[in-house]
Each structure stands twice: as C-alpha cells, then as structure tokens.
Amino acid sequence: MLRNYKFIIAYDGTRFFGWERQPGRDTIQGKLESVLTRLQGSPVEIIGAGRTDAGVHARAMAANAQLDVDLSPEEIRDYMNRYLPDAIAVREVKEAAPRFHARYKALGKTYRYVCFDGPVKPVFDRKYVTLLDYRPDVERMQQAAAYLQGEHDFASFCGNPRMKKSTVRLVDSITVVRQRDRIVFTFHGTGFLQNMVRILVGTLLEVGRGTRQPEDMPALLEARDRRLAGPTAPPEGLCLMKVDY
Amino acid sequence: MLRNYKFIIAYDGTRFFGWERQPGRDTIQGKLESVLTRLQGSPVEIIGAGRTDAGVHARAMAANAQLDVDLSPEEIRDYMNRYLPDAIAVREVKEAAPRFHARYKALGKTYRYVCFDGPVKPVFDRKYVTLLDYRPDVERMQQAAAYLQGEHDFASFCGNPRMKKSTVRLVDSITVVRQRDRIVFTFHGTGFLQNMVRILVGTLLEVGRGTRQPEDMPALLEARDRRLAGPTAPPEGLCLMKVDY
C-alpha cells in the first residue's frame, strides 16, 4: 500500500551539488532517491521543504515521499542510513497524512549562518563556518537587521534574475550574536528566495565592515535591484536548522 | 638569537599518519617542522608533549622548538597558520624558558574518547567519534574504571611489545559519562603508554557490553599481559585535550 512518509534529514553539504537532483552529480535528493528506489524496487521521488545550494548544510531538512514498502518507519530509517553516505543521516521517518507535502505545507524555516573572525582558524568545525579576515561590528549589523526584519519585497536579495513570481517574503526574525570569535546570524521566516539568506549575510557583513550604513537598508529594499545588495556569502557557513509545519 | 618557544596546537588527525615525522608521509610534526624550517630558513625540530597515533586528534597538543627569527610570538603563530593545512591550527605561541622541554616537563595529560551508540549516525562531528553498534552499560564501565584508576603497572594496556622501560603509570582519574547517544571517557594521568588510552577504552567497552566483569580489572592489571586486555579502540574517537606543566 502506498503511504506518505515525512523525513527529517541532516547533511554535511560540503561535497554535494546542493539538494536538487542533477544528472551525473552528487546531490542530497539524488542520494536519498537512489536509496529509496533501491528499497522499493521502483522509482521514488522525494520532495524537500526547500532546495539548499551546493555546499550548504542542514540539521533538519524536512521531506516527504510516497512509498509502498512493508517496513516500519524505523526500519525505513535504518535501511536508508545503512546505504547513505556518511555525510547524510535520516534522523526521523514517520507516516504522514496522505496530503502532507514538505514544500507546500511548510509554514516557516530557520536558517543559521556562522562566520569566524578570530586570529586562529577553527579546526574541528572548519567546514561549517565562513572565515572572515576582518572583524565586523555586530551592533551595526543588528541595526541593519532590524530594518530587514518584517514583510518586504526582497527582490534586491534574490539570486534568481529570472524570478517571475512574487518576491515578497515575511522574515519575522533576524538575530546577530557574537559568541567569542564566531558571529551567528539566525533567520526565521515563512519563505526565502534563492540565495536570499546568503545575500542578506553578504550585505550585513558590509554594514558590519563599515562600507554600508544600517540606515541604507530601507532604500535597498525599495530599489528591488540585486546589483545594489552585497555579495552572496559563501555556502559553507549556512545551515538549515528547522522547518515548521 | 635562538629562543625557545612553546606552542599549543589543535589538529584534526583524520588524514595524518600521527604526530611523529615519517619520511614520505603526512604527519603533524612533519607539517609543523616544514613550516618552521621555511620560516627560519634552516632546519627546525619541534618537540611534542607526546606522539599521537595516526587518526588521533588534539585540541591542545603542547610542543616546543628553538627558533632564531625576528618575529613576535603572534607573528610566528600567524605565519604558521597561513601555511599549515586547514586541519592543523597553532592556537598559541609564547616564549618559554630556555630549558622548557614539551615532553620532559609535562606533568600530566588529559585525553577524551567519545563513542556514539545511537540509532542515527552523527553527521557533523562524525570524524571525531567512534561508532558502536551496541549500547554499552555505562555503570559497569564506571565500576571497571574505578579499579583502573591509580598508580599501576599498565603493561597489559601497552601497545608496544618491545617496551623496555617501566610500564608503571599514575592515572588519577578515569570518568565515563553518557551524554544522550554519546559516551565520553576522560582520562587524566601523569603519562600514558603507547596505545594505552585506546586499549583501556577497548577493554572498558567489553565490560560495558557484558563480555568482561568490572571485578576482572585487578587480575588483568596483575597479569601484565597485553593479550589479556581488550582490543585497541579505533583512533577517531580519541583527542588529546590538555597537557599540564
């Protein structure tokens, strides 16, 4: 019998070409689908809550797939973990309502972005932080973040130049906290555009560095022009922390 | 002028053939010496507090080297970090007394060994834990550890079959703590024999699994026979945390 399952997945995105399946390339969706296809004996499609970019990590990506297998959710989880690469782990599998759709039903997402700006590079979590060679001013970034919080047209922060649909999104919380030599940005919102978190971080870092003013944010949102925002921050510091339903 | 410097070094030992310099192989000592030799323009020897095995990590290995360079300790540190691989970081450099010797002057060492025994493999720190496919009983391991604590002849736990010198060591503290799906062993002692921490862990895990009794420890110490102890636990879970002077 075909059942709908919800998956919670953690991955170290370092060596993957992002979430989305691509022929001939290692992607998270591709790896998950090939393990599920092997389990079921026929093609399986897995739907993620979002598509993380190449090199981006996740602690709790949510996904769903329709499966016809004679196994308990725990057995499905264990089977997948046995055959997945070490950098991907299925944390949880449970049966979901037939109409549960990981992307359409997502109510919110939490992303975390970590920068390191100390004198001595980190060794053990070096693949999960973005190294800076300057020390940004956290207070200035907090001021800028306050302007960016809320419902806005984030077209200036959208990495897809051919985006046809609405670029209005609600980002209800952006926090910037220093933890010794680490700066931790946390974003929560109902949805994010392509590269949006990384462009927000790239822009906030320019504010933190002093080359841009916190008060410039309203005009930058207003402009709806990607060229006016900061660079797309590197993927390694970004991690999808949670998807709300 | 030749000065003696003390170094505190962190490394992810995964891809290295241990601390000790070996021709044609990547080792921590080898990498450090080649950077220091390049800095000074003539051969430099660096002396570590101990020799970690292939695959073992360190958060704070201590070392010393005699250098004749016109740089401040911070400049030496920054130079080294610029040229060392990402998996090695010099956390601290300071001038030491001329007679300071990282090995001979070491008063104690702290090692940590982490096992993971949960149903879902860890993703982000997967290179720093040893995976178990069973769930050992922590209380039994704590009972066994209590027998092993103290000053003993640890010949049964020595990986060097040709060890000529004394195998008596003082291990004043062995703790075993469960943290959810992780078991953390912490050892503090004045000195450790080759592979000793890993053989202690391998033996404690057998106690935790039930194939050996806590009360067997005194006889095992007494026997002074490596063949009677447990296997050498894998290197990836082991980390040198601190060296006391």
Side-chain angles (χ1 to χ4, degrees), chain B residues 230-242:
Chain B
T232 305
E236 59 265 28
L238 184 58
C239 186
L240 172 58
M241 302 299 283
K242 192 169 183 287

Side-chain angles (χ1 to χ4, degrees), chain A residues 10-13 15 57-59 77-78 81-82 84-92 119-128 131 239, chain B residues 10-13 15 57-59 77-78 81-82 84-92 119-128 131 239:
Chain A
Y11 49 87
D12 169 350
R15 297 180 178 281
H57 318 291
R59 284 192 185 264
R77 181 196 69 189
D78 293 346
N81 285 328
R82 192 153 53 244
L84 283 167
D86 278 354
I88 308 176
V90 178
R91 294 175 51 184
E92 203 181 302
V120 180
K121 295 168 304 173
V123 164
F124 298 102
D125 61 349
R126 65 190 187 279
K127 293 184 171 147
Y128 315 122
L131 298 182
C239 187
Chain B
Y11 49 88
D12 169 351
R15 297 181 178 281
H57 318 292
R59 284 192 184 264
R77 181 196 68 187
D78 293 346
N81 285 328
R82 194 154 51 244
L84 283 168
D86 278 355
I88 308 177
V90 179
R91 294 175 52 183
E92 203 182 302
V120 181
K121 294 169 303 174
V123 163
F124 298 103
D125 61 347
R126 64 189 188 277
K127 293 184 171 149
Y128 315 122
L131 299 181
C239 186

Side-chain angles (χ1 to χ4, degrees), chain A residues 66 78 135 166 196 236:
Chain A
Q66 310 283 339
D78 293 346
R135 245 175 132 78
S166 168
M196 179 169 150
E236 59 265 28

Side-chain angles (χ1 to χ4, degrees), chain B residues 109-209:
Chain B
K109 282 181 198 143
T110 306
Y111 280 99
R112 190 177 70 185
Y113 196 99
V114 183
C115 294
F116 183 93
D117 64 355
V120 181
K121 294 169 303 174
V123 163
F124 298 103
D125 61 347
R126 64 189 188 277
K127 293 184 171 149
Y128 315 122
V129 301
T130 293
L131 299 181
L132 303 180
D133 57 4
Y134 57 95
R135 246 177 130 76
D137 180 328
V138 169
E139 211 174 300
R140 285 172 57 88
M141 295 196 285
Q142 287 166 341
Q143 288 162 12
Y147 287 108
L148 297 167
Q149 244 175 229
E151 188 173 65
H152 301 290
D153 186 332
F154 283 97
S156 294
F157 300 91
C158 179
N160 179 0
R162 286 175 297 280
M163 180 72 173
K164 291 279 186 288
K165 290 180 249 174
S166 167
T167 45
V168 173
R169 292 292 184 278
L170 169 62
V171 180
D172 53 88
S173 165
I174 306 178
T175 62
V176 189
V177 177
R178 175 175 287 284
Q179 295 173 353
R180 295 186 180 213
D181 290 338
R182 286 173 168 71
I183 299 164
V184 181
F185 300 83
T186 309
F187 300 83
H188 181 269
T190 53
F192 293 88
L193 303 164
Q194 191 179 319
N195 295 156
M196 179 170 150
V197 175
R198 293 166 58 190
I199 301 169
L200 284 167
V201 170
T203 306
L204 289 171
L205 286 172
E206 289 189 340
V207 173
R209 200 173 186 168

